[in-house]
Amino acid sequence: MKTTRPAAAPAKAAYHHGDLRRSLLDAALGLVASHGVQGFTLREAARAANVSHNAPYRHFPSRTHLLVELATEGQGHLLNALEAAVARTADHRDRIVRMGIAYMEFAISHAAHFRVMFSSDVARNRTADLTAAQNATFQFFESELLASEQAGLIRKGAVQQHALVGWSALHGAALLVLDGVLDNTAIAARRKPREIASLVLESLLKGILNPGGNA
Amino acid sequence: MKTTRPAAAPAKAAYHHGDLRRSLLDAALGLVASHGVQGFTLREAARAANVSHNAPYRHFPSRTHLLVELATEGQGHLLNALEAAVARTADHRDRIVRMGIAYMEFAISHAAHFRVMFSSDVARNRTADLTAAQNATFQFFESELLASEQAGLIRKGAVQQHALVGWSALHGAALLVLDGVLDNTAIAARRKPREIASLVLESLLKGILNPGGNA
DNA sequence: TTCAGGAGTTGACACTGTCAACATTGTTCC
DNA sequence: GGAACAATGTTGACAGTGTCAACTCCTGAA
């Protein structure tokens, strides 16, 4: 983890931590995963990093700011995941489907990040960086659909609307799955998250594909 | 509010509150509205109800349980709103559109309830009652679509899937709007919530309407 | 070598959720 | 009526939290 400093001292040793900021973010992520956003505590993160309860304040002005930072970071990871998913094929329909599935799978397999990214108290303390990261995600959706439109896969003229509806549906499905709200529905109870995403995408595509499409 | 007891005493007077449970839920809702779910405090709710900091424990076993109760109540109100919206017309397409718009409008105009209903720490402490209330909402979506299917408005054979996708899209859109995530998108920035809901519904309907539909 | 400032520490404060023990009230049965 | 009893509220305490202020330690530049 370190770069230059004296390797790995056995005890907690050094006065300067080396990369406290990173350690705190990692610890926070773990705590959110096990105790929820609400249950995350600055002092416990400090403890996990072997540091006094006030050390975090040298890196983050408040508990909320740390969470916002985590959210911004997560949003970047999400965008990376979407880009990676899409990169594996050139077929426009496939790309859309993979992108959607990647969204759902990110929400599930990086649940802690995802929860922080869309927790309400982070939303009300959003920074310009976080806003920019969220906009980038939406624009990625849009650009992908724009390419499909130009290739003639989907109907002309409502790319922004399609992006809005697509993102909403995937986002909503991800949250409903994450919260277990769908666990008692016949349609979703026995399906894996990626299958649920497929169902959502299938329906969405029916609404936007060109009549002559290859559906 | 009271029924039999001595009207409204000017001072806080009476040892027994009368309806503390209700007062606490109302106070909690107000606090969530102004300070967020995270910022809601049992002690402040108690203060708002003119009662000692421990009185709430005679009605709720914990802070979280109070929130779960609030969520269950909100889910009931949501279902009522959906039913009321649908009742105003017999046209199946209209009913679906009104139902969707009502969902979005509930999320916006009852934001505090909605936030509690889908806050993650409520989700992880869900009671049977809350689960039942959520299932009822999904079933209402389903039943509405089933009626449309039988009337020939929408394609045969995938009502559950349509309900899943529809709920997901509306839910996702509501949360994205509520969190302000869409504020910087060209498509949603200058639109009212109900217009955004209309856009979502328009797209969804294109995907499920019968070819011979009146779209 | 000095020294300014970044990084971490200790100590304090008001506040929180929750537990235990106690006080007051309304109800129910003789 | 009054006596037991359960509900409902209260007071007091405790550990834990976020944050502020003042301090110490360490590193890199002048």
Side-chain angles (χ1 to χ4, degrees):
Chain A
M1 303 294 179
K2 313 274 193 67
T3 52
T4 50
R5 297 300 126 217
K12 59 177 180 170
Y15 187 87
H16 283 88
H17 179 284
D19 198 358
L20 220 205
R21 182 187 178 79
R22 185 69 260 152
S23 294
L24 288 172
L25 288 170
D26 291 344
L29 199 61
L31 290 175
V32 170
S34 53
H35 300 90
V37 177
Q38 186 102 244
F40 154 67
T41 262
L42 260 192
R43 287 169 105 111
E44 200 162 339
R47 257 175 254 132
N50 268 316
V51 115
S52 85
H53 69 270
N54 256 342
Y57 285 90
R58 299 297 141 186
H59 299 270
F60 306 95
S62 77
R63 188 194 104 113
T64 298
H65 281 81
L66 191 156
L67 288 176
V68 170
E69 189 72 24
L70 211 52
T72 308
E73 178 182 284
Q75 198 81 37
H77 291 170
L78 170 58
L79 185 52
N80 290 343
L82 297 183
E83 288 171 342
V86 139
R88 273 175 258 149
T89 175
D91 179 80
H92 288 291
R93 194 184 202 282
D94 272 5
R95 286 170 69 93
I96 292 175
V97 170
R98 283 171 199 248
M99 179 174 68
I101 290 178
Y103 194 94
M104 171 68 82
E105 294 208 313
F106 181 91
I108 303 301
S109 63
H110 300 75
H113 254 138
F114 197 79
R115 285 227 133 98
V116 174
M117 286 157 61
F118 297 101
S119 84
S120 53
D121 65 314
V122 164
R124 69 168 57 199
N125 292 92
R126 173 185 305 117
T127 60
D129 277 359
L130 177 54
T131 298
Q134 288 171 338
N135 291 346
T137 299
F138 183 74
Q139 279 158 23
F140 182 73
F141 269 87
E142 236 178 23
S143 70
E144 198 55 44
L145 292 180
L146 196 62
S148 289
E149 181 197 47
Q150 284 167 351
L153 175 69
I154 67 176
R155 292 199 317 273
K156 293 276 178 198
V159 164
Q160 290 185 348
Q161 182 176 349
H162 297 335
L164 167 68
V165 177
W167 190 12
S168 293
L170 289 167
H171 187 64
L175 283 173
L176 290 175
V177 168
L178 216 48
D179 285 352
V181 180
L182 300 176
D183 288 355
N184 293 294
T185 63
I187 181 87
R190 302 197 155 268
R191 285 194 163 83
K192 294 186 202 152
R194 67 172 300 138
E195 296 173 326
I196 296 176
S198 293
L199 285 177
V200 170
L201 287 158
E202 182 191 0
S203 288
L204 288 174
L205 282 169
K206 276 198 180 123
I208 69 175
L209 284 177
N210 250 330
N214 53 349
Chain B
M1 302 295 179
K2 311 272 194 69
T3 51
T4 50
R5 297 299 127 216
K12 59 176 180 172
Y15 188 89
H16 281 90
H17 180 284
D19 198 357
L20 221 205
R21 182 186 178 81
R22 183 69 260 152
S23 294
L24 288 172
L25 287 171
D26 291 344
L29 199 61
L31 290 175
V32 169
S34 54
H35 299 91
V37 177
Q38 187 101 244
F40 154 68
T41 262
L42 259 192
R43 288 170 104 111
E44 201 162 341
R47 259 175 253 133
N50 269 317
V51 114
S52 84
H53 68 270
N54 256 340
Y57 285 91
R58 300 297 142 187
H59 299 271
F60 307 95
S62 77
R63 188 195 104 113
T64 298
H65 281 79
L66 191 155
L67 287 176
V68 170
E69 188 71 24
L70 211 52
T72 307
E73 178 181 283
Q75 198 80 36
H77 292 170
L78 170 58
L79 185 52
N80 289 344
L82 298 182
E83 289 171 343
V86 140
R88 270 174 260 150
T89 174
D91 179 81
H92 288 291
R93 194 184 201 280
D94 272 5
R95 286 171 69 93
I96 292 174
V97 169
R98 282 172 200 248
M99 178 174 69
I101 290 177
Y103 194 94
M104 171 69 81
E105 295 208 313
F106 181 91
I108 302 302
S109 64
H110 300 75
H113 254 138
F114 197 79
R115 285 228 134 98
V116 173
M117 285 158 62
F118 297 101
S119 84
S120 52
D121 66 312
V122 165
R124 71 167 58 199
N125 291 93
R126 174 183 304 117
T127 59
D129 276 359
L130 177 53
T131 297
Q134 288 172 336
N135 291 345
T137 300
F138 183 75
Q139 280 159 20
F140 183 73
F141 268 87
E142 238 179 20
S143 70
E144 199 55 44
L145 292 179
L146 196 63
S148 290
E149 183 197 47
Q150 286 167 349
L153 175 69
I154 67 177
R155 291 200 317 273
K156 293 273 177 200
V159 163
Q160 290 186 346
Q161 183 176 350
H162 297 334
L164 168 67
V165 177
W167 191 13
S168 293
L170 290 167
H171 187 63
L175 284 173
L176 291 175
V177 168
L178 216 49
D179 285 350
V181 179
L182 299 175
D183 287 354
N184 293 293
T185 63
I187 182 87
R190 300 196 157 270
R191 284 193 164 83
K192 293 185 202 154
R194 66 172 299 138
E195 296 172 326
I196 296 177
S198 292
L199 285 177
V200 170
L201 286 158
E202 181 189 1
S203 287
L204 288 174
L205 282 170
K206 275 196 182 125
I208 69 175
L209 284 178
N210 249 332
N214 54 348

